Every structure is written in C-alpha cells, then in structure tokens.
Amino acid sequence: MKRKNSFMVKGLSPLLVMGLLLIFGEKVWADAAAAATPVETVTPAKPDPFSFADFTWMNGNARVKDNPLDSKYFTPEITMDVHYIYDFAHPIDHVLVGTTEGSLVNEVEVQDVGLGGDLHVDNVIGRILTQFGTDATQTVRNDASPGVGTTDLADAYRYLSEAWGGYHFDVDYGLNVEAGIFMSYIGLFSYYSPENWTYQPSYVSSNTPWFFNGVRIQWFPEQNLKIEPWIINGWQSYGEFNQQPGLGYQIKWAPTGDISTVFNGYWGTDNLGAPGLNRIHSDNSLLVKYLDNPKAPIDKVAFSFTIDYGQMWGAVPAGLGMVDTNGNAVTQITPAQENFFGFMAYNRFWFDNDHQALTLGGGWMTNTGRYLVLLPDLPNGQTGGANAINYASPYFTENPGDPFTGWDWTVTWSIMPSQYLMWQVEFNHRGSSVPYFSGPGGVTSPNGVNVGANGGYVPNLVTSEDRVNLACELEI
C-alpha cells in the first residue's frame, strides 16, 4: 500500500504543476499584454476664456446670462432701443446735437432694432447683426471714407452693425481669426445701449469708434487674458481713407471676477486726401466691483474709470485749403494744434436683488482742433463727420488749433424686471466751452423745416444742454 500511495502522489504532481503553470502563465501574458497596450488618456477641454466668473455686472457688457433661443449651431440675438428724450431747450427742429444716442428730441424715436446672432459650427465662427432705426443714418453720417471713389459704402453697410466670419483654433485657451465689421469698444461703452450703465455715454465714449472694418486676431494665452491685434480700414470707417490701413490692439485682463482692465491703442491716417497726417489714440479702462452681498439692501456696487489721449501730426497738402484759427494756410500740423485728452468715471449701485440700479457719473474732455468732436449737422450743403477734416460748417469750424472743451454728468435709474429688458430714467447735463448744442431756434431753418432756402438763417447754438432720457431697451 505504501508503494501505491507513493505512486499516486508522484503521478498527480506533474498534472498539478502543469495546471499551476498554465494559470500563472496566462496571468503573466495578460499583464504583459496590458503593459504593452498604450493607455488612452482623455485631456479635459479647457474652459472658455473669462468663464471663471460672472462679468455681467460690467459697464459695456451684456447682462444676459442665458439665451432661451440658443441651439447647437446658432445663437440668435435680438436688440431694441426705443426712447423719448425731453430737451428743456425745446429746439424747433427737434434735432439733438453731439451724441450717438439719439437724433431727435421731444418725440418717440426707434434708435435701433438688431436681428441676427452667432454662428458656431465645429471651429467655424461668425456673427451678423442688423441695425434698423435712426442708427442706420446716424452712425453712417460720421464716416467720411465713402468719399473715396464711387462705391456707395454708406448705403452698402448702413443696415449692418456687425458682420464677420472666422475660424477658431484650439491653441492655449483659444485663437480666433476673424474678418469683417466688428465692435471696437474703445471708450468702454457698448454700441448696444442695453449693455451700458447709462443711456447717454460721456464724450470719451461718444467721440471714439463704435466699430471697425477689417481683420482681428483674438489670442487667449490664459483664461483671464486676451491679446487682440487689428488690421483695419480706419477709425470707425467702412472704407480706407488713403493708401494704408489702420493698426490697433486691445489687451483685456481680468485678474479676478471683481476686477477688469482694458487697454486699446490705434494708429492710422484717417483724413481724406492727407496721407501724411498721422493719428494715434490710447484708451484705458479699469472696472472694479467692490461690494457683492446678495442679502444686503444694496447688494452690489461697482465703478468704472476710463482715460484717453490722442493726437495728430504731419503734412497736409496745400490743395485741401486748410487754415488755422487766424486764417493762415496750413501745410504742416503739430500735436499742439490737434490733440485729445479726456476721462469719464461712473459708480453704480444695485438693489432689489439686481432688479434696480442707480448710476452716478460723468466726464470731461478737451479736443484742440476738434477732429474727434461729433460735428453738428448744420446748413452748409455737406454732411458733417468726425473724420472729415474739411467738412466743418462755417458756423462750427474744425481748423487746427480750434479749441473745444466739453463736460457732462448723469444720474440714471435703471429698472430691470428681467435679464432681457431694461427701462431707464435719466437726467443728463452737458456743457461746452463754445456754442455747440441746439438751442430753441434749432440748427435747420427759421421754422425747423429742412425744405427750401434758409434765407441767411444762422443756427442757434448754445453752450449747455439739459435733458431727460426715457428709454426701453431689450436684448435677448
């Protein structure tokens, strides 16, 4: 028996060993195969630029947090601005002078109706937004570039506030290359009034560009930083004034959700027939939200401050017939004859759970040479324009060295029952060092009607303006 048992043990041992080797071998093979197979790692998508905080509190930024009409490939947008401006001077022709918000007073005016939206299909991006209402004539009249050639750029573009297309590259936090008509945001305030703290922007905003036509590159090296160079046709112009484009940039940096800074710069030759006349401009803004307590009676407080400087210099062809303040011919302009300096500051208080707000603020500017003053539409047989160096009326000249200083202050009550709708009640005072605003006699004719000869009529320009602005503003 002993021998038999020994034989059985010896007979089973090889089988057991083979089984163990098979089991262990399969495990080793599986481990080796797993080690040899590359592991796929999914890199999480980087967040959108400036999405780390809610910036809807900022002056010049959209208040809309979500769009109920949004879809996968297209985000529709609707804007509307309807107002009634009461001018205490009661100009006989109802004309409002020297502003980009409103053309008429003491009557209801549809300032803007915008329809369009944003396209986003894979990496293809684009935006189109119309402008109907008085913006379609008021914005266009401040551009003298259609005077080059025979193409009627004013009519071609008047019903478009934005129209651009481009491509998004997945570089850093994003790199966008876009071409067309886009907003400039020099002067902080948005072209679309529902996005602003006040209805009437100060001079620094009203007298600087709302849009550019050209190419921009938006690079976001960090989530809180944007670097944006421009190659554009000119300073708020549909076309090119001379033989070279304008160059500019914007740098936006927001270290936190409570602080934002914006720096803009520009160089160009933006005077018809004067390619040797250079223009530079620097625009810089700081916005700070220094209180945010949803449970407090005043639940949010923020301020904005903007400061600008610019100048022009260079040669002027004698054929333009430019003269200085003493009537002497000018062929060379110095920065002392053409310069700009201005600032504006606003403080906004939110209450009633952000459904109401009170904004106090104003600004000041000086513009020697008046090259950025919004020229009144006066009876001179031509249309005024902020870029047209020889379009000024004899009643309001724009000669090198002509002085102009302006100031304003505003009190604005905003009622916001919804993120898509805002009502504003505002008192606005503006002043100037020379007669500029429309007085009781208006700026059109003795009876205010723009028909027939004026018979030696002289526009009634005054040095101050007081008005109440009532506005209904919608943005979806």
mmCIF file of all heavy atoms in Angstrom, residues 356-401:
data_model
loop_
_atom_site.group_PDB
_atom_site.id
_atom_site.type_symbol
_atom_site.label_atom_id
_atom_site.label_comp_id
_atom_site.label_asym_id
_atom_site.label_seq_id
_atom_site.Cartn_x
_atom_site.Cartn_y
_atom_site.Cartn_z
ATOM 1 N N GLN A 356 -32.978 96.658 -9.825
ATOM 2 C CA GLN A 356 -32.897 98.102 -9.972
ATOM 3 C C GLN A 356 -31.453 98.539 -9.722
ATOM 4 O O GLN A 356 -30.689 97.846 -9.044
ATOM 5 C CB GLN A 356 -33.831 98.824 -8.996
ATOM 6 C CG GLN A 356 -35.299 98.502 -9.188
ATOM 7 C CD GLN A 356 -36.181 99.369 -8.309
ATOM 8 O OE1 GLN A 356 -36.213 100.586 -8.455
ATOM 9 N NE2 GLN A 356 -36.898 98.737 -7.400
ATOM 10 N N ALA A 357 -31.107 99.694 -10.286
ATOM 11 C CA ALA A 357 -29.756 100.208 -10.085
ATOM 12 C C ALA A 357 -29.763 101.720 -10.243
ATOM 13 O O ALA A 357 -30.587 102.289 -10.984
ATOM 14 C CB ALA A 357 -28.783 99.580 -11.070
ATOM 15 N N LEU A 358 -28.845 102.370 -9.550
ATOM 16 C CA LEU A 358 -28.648 103.815 -9.644
ATOM 17 C C LEU A 358 -27.201 104.061 -10.044
ATOM 18 O O LEU A 358 -26.269 103.552 -9.408
ATOM 19 C CB LEU A 358 -28.943 104.496 -8.309
ATOM 20 C CG LEU A 358 -28.747 106.016 -8.263
ATOM 21 C CD1 LEU A 358 -29.784 106.722 -9.138
ATOM 22 C CD2 LEU A 358 -28.828 106.527 -6.829
ATOM 23 N N THR A 359 -27.007 104.839 -11.114
ATOM 24 C CA THR A 359 -25.658 105.128 -11.603
ATOM 25 C C THR A 359 -25.421 106.629 -11.589
ATOM 26 O O THR A 359 -26.248 107.408 -12.080
ATOM 27 C CB THR A 359 -25.466 104.606 -13.037
ATOM 28 O OG1 THR A 359 -25.737 103.197 -13.065
ATOM 29 C CG2 THR A 359 -24.044 104.850 -13.513
ATOM 30 N N LEU A 360 -24.291 107.030 -11.005
ATOM 31 C CA LEU A 360 -23.870 108.430 -10.963
ATOM 32 C C LEU A 360 -22.535 108.542 -11.688
ATOM 33 O O LEU A 360 -21.646 107.700 -11.501
ATOM 34 C CB LEU A 360 -23.709 108.905 -9.516
ATOM 35 C CG LEU A 360 -24.870 108.650 -8.561
ATOM 36 C CD1 LEU A 360 -24.486 109.072 -7.143
ATOM 37 C CD2 LEU A 360 -26.118 109.405 -9.009
ATOM 38 N N GLY A 361 -22.387 109.567 -12.509
ATOM 39 C CA GLY A 361 -21.104 109.708 -13.182
ATOM 40 C C GLY A 361 -21.100 110.802 -14.220
ATOM 41 O O GLY A 361 -22.049 111.567 -14.374
ATOM 42 N N GLY A 362 -19.986 110.879 -14.936
ATOM 43 C CA GLY A 362 -19.827 111.894 -15.973
ATOM 44 C C GLY A 362 -18.401 111.900 -16.484
ATOM 45 O O GLY A 362 -17.609 110.977 -16.221
ATOM 46 N N GLY A 363 -18.072 112.954 -17.223
ATOM 47 C CA GLY A 363 -16.742 113.006 -17.800
ATOM 48 C C GLY A 363 -16.374 114.390 -18.298
ATOM 49 O O GLY A 363 -17.159 115.346 -18.189
ATOM 50 N N TRP A 364 -15.171 114.476 -18.842
ATOM 51 C CA TRP A 364 -14.603 115.754 -19.315
ATOM 52 C C TRP A 364 -13.654 115.453 -20.457
ATOM 53 O O TRP A 364 -12.988 114.404 -20.475
ATOM 54 C CB TRP A 364 -13.867 116.416 -18.167
ATOM 55 C CG TRP A 364 -13.182 117.721 -18.502
ATOM 56 C CD1 TRP A 364 -13.698 118.974 -18.381
ATOM 57 C CD2 TRP A 364 -11.843 117.882 -18.972
ATOM 58 N NE1 TRP A 364 -12.765 119.910 -18.766
ATOM 59 C CE2 TRP A 364 -11.609 119.264 -19.135
ATOM 60 C CE3 TRP A 364 -10.811 117.003 -19.288
ATOM 61 C CZ2 TRP A 364 -10.405 119.785 -19.586
ATOM 62 C CZ3 TRP A 364 -9.603 117.498 -19.744
ATOM 63 C CH2 TRP A 364 -9.406 118.886 -19.880
ATOM 64 N N MET A 365 -13.591 116.352 -21.423
ATOM 65 C CA MET A 365 -12.619 116.183 -22.496
ATOM 66 C C MET A 365 -12.217 117.536 -23.060
ATOM 67 O O MET A 365 -12.952 118.519 -22.976
ATOM 68 C CB MET A 365 -13.189 115.327 -23.632
ATOM 69 C CG MET A 365 -14.123 116.060 -24.570
ATOM 70 S SD MET A 365 -14.148 115.307 -26.208
ATOM 71 C CE MET A 365 -15.055 116.560 -27.126
ATOM 72 N N THR A 366 -11.018 117.576 -23.646
ATOM 73 C CA THR A 366 -10.589 118.712 -24.436
ATOM 74 C C THR A 366 -10.065 118.176 -25.756
ATOM 75 O O THR A 366 -9.343 117.168 -25.780
ATOM 76 C CB THR A 366 -9.507 119.536 -23.704
ATOM 77 O OG1 THR A 366 -9.106 120.633 -24.538
ATOM 78 C CG2 THR A 366 -8.289 118.702 -23.375
ATOM 79 N N ASN A 367 -10.442 118.816 -26.859
ATOM 80 C CA ASN A 367 -10.065 118.345 -28.187
ATOM 81 C C ASN A 367 -9.666 119.543 -29.054
ATOM 82 O O ASN A 367 -10.472 120.099 -29.786
ATOM 83 C CB ASN A 367 -11.224 117.577 -28.823
ATOM 84 C CG ASN A 367 -10.883 116.948 -30.158
ATOM 85 O OD1 ASN A 367 -11.760 116.602 -30.926
ATOM 86 N ND2 ASN A 367 -9.597 116.795 -30.468
ATOM 87 N N THR A 368 -8.405 119.932 -28.923
ATOM 88 C CA THR A 368 -7.866 121.009 -29.755
ATOM 89 C C THR A 368 -7.868 120.568 -31.219
ATOM 90 O O THR A 368 -7.387 119.487 -31.546
ATOM 91 C CB THR A 368 -6.442 121.362 -29.317
ATOM 92 O OG1 THR A 368 -6.448 121.714 -27.930
ATOM 93 C CG2 THR A 368 -5.891 122.519 -30.134
ATOM 94 N N GLY A 369 -8.402 121.371 -32.088
ATOM 95 C CA GLY A 369 -8.555 121.022 -33.489
ATOM 96 C C GLY A 369 -9.886 120.368 -33.804
ATOM 97 O O GLY A 369 -10.256 120.244 -34.970
ATOM 98 N N ARG A 370 -10.604 119.879 -32.753
ATOM 99 C CA ARG A 370 -11.959 119.348 -32.878
ATOM 100 C C ARG A 370 -12.064 118.150 -33.818
ATOM 101 O O ARG A 370 -13.139 117.859 -34.339
ATOM 102 C CB ARG A 370 -12.928 120.451 -33.340
ATOM 103 C CG ARG A 370 -12.933 121.670 -32.440
ATOM 104 C CD ARG A 370 -13.855 122.757 -32.959
ATOM 105 N NE ARG A 370 -13.785 123.957 -32.125
ATOM 106 C CZ ARG A 370 -14.420 125.099 -32.389
ATOM 107 N NH1 ARG A 370 -15.174 125.198 -33.491
ATOM 108 N NH2 ARG A 370 -14.291 126.135 -31.584
ATOM 109 N N TYR A 371 -10.967 117.440 -34.026
ATOM 110 C CA TYR A 371 -11.009 116.350 -35.008
ATOM 111 C C TYR A 371 -11.816 115.152 -34.540
ATOM 112 O O TYR A 371 -12.187 114.289 -35.350
ATOM 113 C CB TYR A 371 -9.586 115.931 -35.418
ATOM 114 C CG TYR A 371 -8.758 115.292 -34.328
ATOM 115 C CD1 TYR A 371 -8.681 113.913 -34.183
ATOM 116 C CD2 TYR A 371 -8.005 116.077 -33.447
ATOM 117 C CE1 TYR A 371 -7.898 113.329 -33.213
ATOM 118 C CE2 TYR A 371 -7.217 115.515 -32.474
ATOM 119 C CZ TYR A 371 -7.160 114.134 -32.357
ATOM 120 O OH TYR A 371 -6.374 113.557 -31.377
ATOM 121 N N LEU A 372 -12.115 115.058 -33.231
ATOM 122 C CA LEU A 372 -12.968 113.987 -32.736
ATOM 123 C C LEU A 372 -14.317 114.485 -32.234
ATOM 124 O O LEU A 372 -15.122 113.680 -31.764
ATOM 125 C CB LEU A 372 -12.258 113.213 -31.607
ATOM 126 C CG LEU A 372 -11.102 112.311 -32.028
ATOM 127 C CD1 LEU A 372 -10.601 111.505 -30.844
ATOM 128 C CD2 LEU A 372 -11.508 111.383 -33.157
ATOM 129 N N VAL A 373 -14.565 115.774 -32.330
ATOM 130 C CA VAL A 373 -15.872 116.298 -31.935
ATOM 131 C C VAL A 373 -16.912 115.837 -32.948
ATOM 132 O O VAL A 373 -16.681 115.901 -34.163
ATOM 133 C CB VAL A 373 -15.846 117.839 -31.851
ATOM 134 C CG1 VAL A 373 -17.242 118.377 -31.530
ATOM 135 C CG2 VAL A 373 -14.851 118.292 -30.790
ATOM 136 N N LEU A 374 -18.050 115.354 -32.469
ATOM 137 C CA LEU A 374 -19.141 114.995 -33.362
ATOM 138 C C LEU A 374 -19.752 116.277 -33.911
ATOM 139 O O LEU A 374 -20.446 117.005 -33.206
ATOM 140 C CB LEU A 374 -20.194 114.176 -32.614
ATOM 141 C CG LEU A 374 -19.751 112.777 -32.168
ATOM 142 C CD1 LEU A 374 -20.805 112.155 -31.275
ATOM 143 C CD2 LEU A 374 -19.482 111.890 -33.363
ATOM 144 N N LEU A 375 -19.473 116.554 -35.168
ATOM 145 C CA LEU A 375 -19.894 117.829 -35.745
ATOM 146 C C LEU A 375 -21.405 117.900 -35.882
ATOM 147 O O LEU A 375 -22.044 116.942 -36.313
ATOM 148 C CB LEU A 375 -19.249 118.025 -37.114
ATOM 149 C CG LEU A 375 -17.723 118.049 -37.140
ATOM 150 C CD1 LEU A 375 -17.233 118.329 -38.555
ATOM 151 C CD2 LEU A 375 -17.180 119.085 -36.180
ATOM 152 N N PRO A 376 -21.993 119.039 -35.532
ATOM 153 C CA PRO A 376 -23.440 119.212 -35.734
ATOM 154 C C PRO A 376 -23.773 119.180 -37.222
ATOM 155 O O PRO A 376 -22.972 119.604 -38.065
ATOM 156 C CB PRO A 376 -23.717 120.594 -35.139
ATOM 157 C CG PRO A 376 -22.515 120.959 -34.346
ATOM 158 C CD PRO A 376 -21.360 120.219 -34.936
ATOM 159 N N ASP A 377 -24.945 118.657 -37.560
ATOM 160 C CA ASP A 377 -25.415 118.716 -38.946
ATOM 161 C C ASP A 377 -25.992 120.094 -39.195
ATOM 162 O O ASP A 377 -27.162 120.360 -38.930
ATOM 163 C CB ASP A 377 -26.467 117.638 -39.198
ATOM 164 C CG ASP A 377 -25.835 116.290 -39.468
ATOM 165 O OD1 ASP A 377 -24.646 116.273 -39.785
ATOM 166 O OD2 ASP A 377 -26.526 115.265 -39.352
ATOM 167 N N LEU A 378 -25.153 120.974 -39.706
ATOM 168 C CA LEU A 378 -25.528 122.376 -39.891
ATOM 169 C C LEU A 378 -25.714 122.678 -41.383
ATOM 170 O O LEU A 378 -25.197 121.950 -42.240
ATOM 171 C CB LEU A 378 -24.439 123.274 -39.300
ATOM 172 C CG LEU A 378 -24.171 123.075 -37.812
ATOM 173 C CD1 LEU A 378 -23.023 123.972 -37.360
ATOM 174 C CD2 LEU A 378 -25.414 123.359 -36.985
ATOM 175 N N PRO A 379 -26.431 123.719 -41.705
ATOM 176 C CA PRO A 379 -26.716 124.036 -43.115
ATOM 177 C C PRO A 379 -25.502 124.560 -43.857
ATOM 178 O O PRO A 379 -25.264 125.757 -43.963
ATOM 179 C CB PRO A 379 -27.808 125.107 -43.014
ATOM 180 C CG PRO A 379 -27.583 125.753 -41.695
ATOM 181 C CD PRO A 379 -27.099 124.663 -40.791
ATOM 182 N N ASN A 380 -24.689 123.615 -44.380
ATOM 183 C CA ASN A 380 -23.515 124.002 -45.153
ATOM 184 C C ASN A 380 -23.437 123.263 -46.476
ATOM 185 O O ASN A 380 -22.443 123.332 -47.178
ATOM 186 C CB ASN A 380 -22.225 123.757 -44.364
ATOM 187 C CG ASN A 380 -22.037 122.283 -44.045
ATOM 188 O OD1 ASN A 380 -22.966 121.498 -44.127
ATOM 189 N ND2 ASN A 380 -20.824 121.904 -43.680
ATOM 190 N N GLY A 381 -24.515 122.523 -46.804
ATOM 191 C CA GLY A 381 -24.551 121.791 -48.059
ATOM 192 C C GLY A 381 -23.793 120.491 -48.022
ATOM 193 O O GLY A 381 -23.703 119.791 -49.015
ATOM 194 N N GLN A 382 -23.228 120.139 -46.850
ATOM 195 C CA GLN A 382 -22.486 118.898 -46.716
ATOM 196 C C GLN A 382 -22.893 118.213 -45.429
ATOM 197 O O GLN A 382 -23.522 118.813 -44.552
ATOM 198 C CB GLN A 382 -20.973 119.178 -46.695
ATOM 199 C CG GLN A 382 -20.428 119.766 -48.000
ATOM 200 C CD GLN A 382 -18.991 120.191 -47.817
ATOM 201 O OE1 GLN A 382 -18.667 120.913 -46.885
ATOM 202 N NE2 GLN A 382 -18.128 119.746 -48.705
ATOM 203 N N THR A 383 -22.535 116.942 -45.324
ATOM 204 C CA THR A 383 -22.824 116.189 -44.113
ATOM 205 C C THR A 383 -21.610 116.201 -43.205
ATOM 206 O O THR A 383 -20.511 115.888 -43.642
ATOM 207 C CB THR A 383 -23.194 114.735 -44.453
ATOM 208 O OG1 THR A 383 -24.347 114.758 -45.293
ATOM 209 C CG2 THR A 383 -23.504 113.945 -43.209
ATOM 210 N N GLY A 384 -21.823 116.553 -41.959
ATOM 211 C CA GLY A 384 -20.719 116.563 -41.006
ATOM 212 C C GLY A 384 -20.216 115.170 -40.748
ATOM 213 O O GLY A 384 -20.876 114.183 -40.993
ATOM 214 N N GLY A 385 -19.021 115.081 -40.214
ATOM 215 C CA GLY A 385 -18.447 113.775 -39.897
ATOM 216 C C GLY A 385 -17.224 113.930 -39.035
ATOM 217 O O GLY A 385 -16.413 114.827 -39.244
ATOM 218 N N ALA A 386 -17.090 113.045 -38.054
ATOM 219 C CA ALA A 386 -15.977 113.156 -37.112
ATOM 220 C C ALA A 386 -14.629 112.942 -37.785
ATOM 221 O O ALA A 386 -13.601 113.283 -37.229
ATOM 222 C CB ALA A 386 -16.168 112.145 -35.985
ATOM 223 N N ASN A 387 -14.613 112.364 -38.989
ATOM 224 C CA ASN A 387 -13.354 112.103 -39.669
ATOM 225 C C ASN A 387 -13.065 113.096 -40.788
ATOM 226 O O ASN A 387 -12.029 113.033 -41.426
ATOM 227 C CB ASN A 387 -13.369 110.692 -40.273
ATOM 228 C CG ASN A 387 -13.501 109.629 -39.217
ATOM 229 O OD1 ASN A 387 -12.697 109.571 -38.305
ATOM 230 N ND2 ASN A 387 -14.515 108.805 -39.318
ATOM 231 N N ALA A 388 -13.988 113.975 -41.089
ATOM 232 C CA ALA A 388 -13.853 114.823 -42.271
ATOM 233 C C ALA A 388 -13.217 116.152 -41.893
ATOM 234 O O ALA A 388 -13.866 117.032 -41.351
ATOM 235 C CB ALA A 388 -15.217 115.060 -42.899
ATOM 236 N N ILE A 389 -11.915 116.325 -42.198
ATOM 237 C CA ILE A 389 -11.193 117.493 -41.704
ATOM 238 C C ILE A 389 -11.656 118.774 -42.365
ATOM 239 O O ILE A 389 -11.466 119.851 -41.814
ATOM 240 C CB ILE A 389 -9.670 117.319 -41.897
ATOM 241 C CG1 ILE A 389 -9.337 117.158 -43.386
ATOM 242 C CG2 ILE A 389 -9.144 116.167 -41.102
ATOM 243 C CD1 ILE A 389 -7.854 117.145 -43.669
ATOM 244 N N ASN A 390 -12.263 118.704 -43.549
ATOM 245 C CA ASN A 390 -12.694 119.935 -44.207
ATOM 246 C C ASN A 390 -14.198 119.947 -44.449
ATOM 247 O O ASN A 390 -14.687 120.596 -45.348
ATOM 248 C CB ASN A 390 -11.943 120.134 -45.538
ATOM 249 C CG ASN A 390 -12.133 118.956 -46.480
ATOM 250 O OD1 ASN A 390 -12.616 117.911 -46.063
ATOM 251 N ND2 ASN A 390 -11.747 119.129 -47.736
ATOM 252 N N TYR A 391 -14.932 119.189 -43.646
ATOM 253 C CA TYR A 391 -16.372 119.153 -43.785
ATOM 254 C C TYR A 391 -17.074 120.085 -42.792
ATOM 255 O O TYR A 391 -18.285 120.152 -42.762
ATOM 256 C CB TYR A 391 -16.895 117.733 -43.555
ATOM 257 C CG TYR A 391 -16.840 116.844 -44.776
ATOM 258 C CD1 TYR A 391 -16.110 117.202 -45.902
ATOM 259 C CD2 TYR A 391 -17.533 115.644 -44.786
ATOM 260 C CE1 TYR A 391 -16.061 116.378 -47.004
ATOM 261 C CE2 TYR A 391 -17.485 114.809 -45.898
ATOM 262 C CZ TYR A 391 -16.742 115.182 -46.999
ATOM 263 O OH TYR A 391 -16.691 114.361 -48.100
ATOM 264 N N ALA A 392 -16.318 120.753 -41.957
ATOM 265 C CA ALA A 392 -16.936 121.552 -40.905
ATOM 266 C C ALA A 392 -17.700 122.740 -41.495
ATOM 267 O O ALA A 392 -17.314 123.314 -42.508
ATOM 268 C CB ALA A 392 -15.872 122.042 -39.933
ATOM 269 N N SER A 393 -18.781 123.085 -40.818
ATOM 270 C CA SER A 393 -19.596 124.220 -41.238
ATOM 271 C C SER A 393 -18.920 125.531 -40.837
ATOM 272 O O SER A 393 -18.154 125.580 -39.865
ATOM 273 C CB SER A 393 -20.964 124.113 -40.556
ATOM 274 O OG SER A 393 -21.651 125.327 -40.610
ATOM 275 N N PRO A 394 -19.194 126.615 -41.537
ATOM 276 C CA PRO A 394 -18.664 127.914 -41.091
ATOM 277 C C PRO A 394 -19.210 128.327 -39.734
ATOM 278 O O PRO A 394 -18.628 129.181 -39.072
ATOM 279 C CB PRO A 394 -19.112 128.871 -42.202
ATOM 280 C CG PRO A 394 -20.241 128.180 -42.884
ATOM 281 C CD PRO A 394 -19.930 126.716 -42.804
ATOM 282 N N TYR A 395 -20.317 127.702 -39.321
ATOM 283 C CA TYR A 395 -20.886 128.017 -38.009
ATOM 284 C C TYR A 395 -20.233 127.223 -36.883
ATOM 285 O O TYR A 395 -20.406 127.533 -35.707
ATOM 286 C CB TYR A 395 -22.395 127.738 -38.009
ATOM 287 C CG TYR A 395 -23.116 128.429 -39.126
ATOM 288 C CD1 TYR A 395 -23.627 127.722 -40.214
ATOM 289 C CD2 TYR A 395 -23.291 129.822 -39.118
ATOM 290 C CE1 TYR A 395 -24.286 128.362 -41.247
ATOM 291 C CE2 TYR A 395 -23.946 130.476 -40.157
ATOM 292 C CZ TYR A 395 -24.434 129.739 -41.218
ATOM 293 O OH TYR A 395 -25.084 130.383 -42.239
ATOM 294 N N PHE A 396 -19.497 126.169 -37.259
ATOM 295 C CA PHE A 396 -18.745 125.399 -36.270
ATOM 296 C C PHE A 396 -17.518 124.851 -36.993
ATOM 297 O O PHE A 396 -17.565 123.801 -37.636
ATOM 298 C CB PHE A 396 -19.579 124.253 -35.689
ATOM 299 C CG PHE A 396 -18.924 123.578 -34.518
ATOM 300 C CD1 PHE A 396 -19.091 124.081 -33.235
ATOM 301 C CD2 PHE A 396 -18.119 122.459 -34.697
ATOM 302 C CE1 PHE A 396 -18.473 123.465 -32.150
ATOM 303 C CE2 PHE A 396 -17.506 121.841 -33.625
ATOM 304 C CZ PHE A 396 -17.682 122.338 -32.346
ATOM 305 N N THR A 397 -16.430 125.582 -36.921
ATOM 306 C CA THR A 397 -15.229 125.250 -37.691
ATOM 307 C C THR A 397 -14.444 124.121 -37.044
ATOM 308 O O THR A 397 -14.610 123.807 -35.856
ATOM 309 C CB THR A 397 -14.325 126.479 -37.835
ATOM 310 O OG1 THR A 397 -13.951 126.934 -36.536
ATOM 311 C CG2 THR A 397 -15.050 127.600 -38.580
ATOM 312 N N GLU A 398 -13.568 123.535 -37.840
ATOM 313 C CA GLU A 398 -12.719 122.441 -37.383
ATOM 314 C C GLU A 398 -11.295 122.673 -37.871
ATOM 315 O O GLU A 398 -10.660 121.813 -38.471
ATOM 316 C CB GLU A 398 -13.258 121.102 -37.918
ATOM 317 C CG GLU A 398 -12.686 119.893 -37.214
ATOM 318 C CD GLU A 398 -13.242 118.597 -37.795
ATOM 319 O OE1 GLU A 398 -13.731 118.614 -38.938
ATOM 320 O OE2 GLU A 398 -13.175 117.579 -37.109
ATOM 321 N N ASN A 399 -10.798 123.887 -37.609
ATOM 322 C CA ASN A 399 -9.450 124.266 -38.038
ATOM 323 C C ASN A 399 -8.410 123.819 -37.016
ATOM 324 O O ASN A 399 -8.703 123.720 -35.814
ATOM 325 C CB ASN A 399 -9.352 125.782 -38.208
ATOM 326 C CG ASN A 399 -10.326 126.308 -39.239
ATOM 327 O OD1 ASN A 399 -10.506 125.705 -40.294
ATOM 328 N ND2 ASN A 399 -10.969 127.438 -38.940
ATOM 329 N N PRO A 400 -7.178 123.561 -37.439
ATOM 330 C CA PRO A 400 -6.114 123.245 -36.477
ATOM 331 C C PRO A 400 -5.988 124.347 -35.423
ATOM 332 O O PRO A 400 -5.908 125.526 -35.745
ATOM 333 C CB PRO A 400 -4.861 123.177 -37.359
ATOM 334 C CG PRO A 400 -5.368 122.838 -38.713
ATOM 335 C CD PRO A 400 -6.690 123.517 -38.837
ATOM 336 N N GLY A 401 -6.012 123.940 -34.175
ATOM 337 C CA GLY A 401 -5.916 124.900 -33.079
ATOM 338 C C GLY A 401 -7.251 125.361 -32.535
ATOM 339 O O GLY A 401 -7.298 125.982 -31.459
#
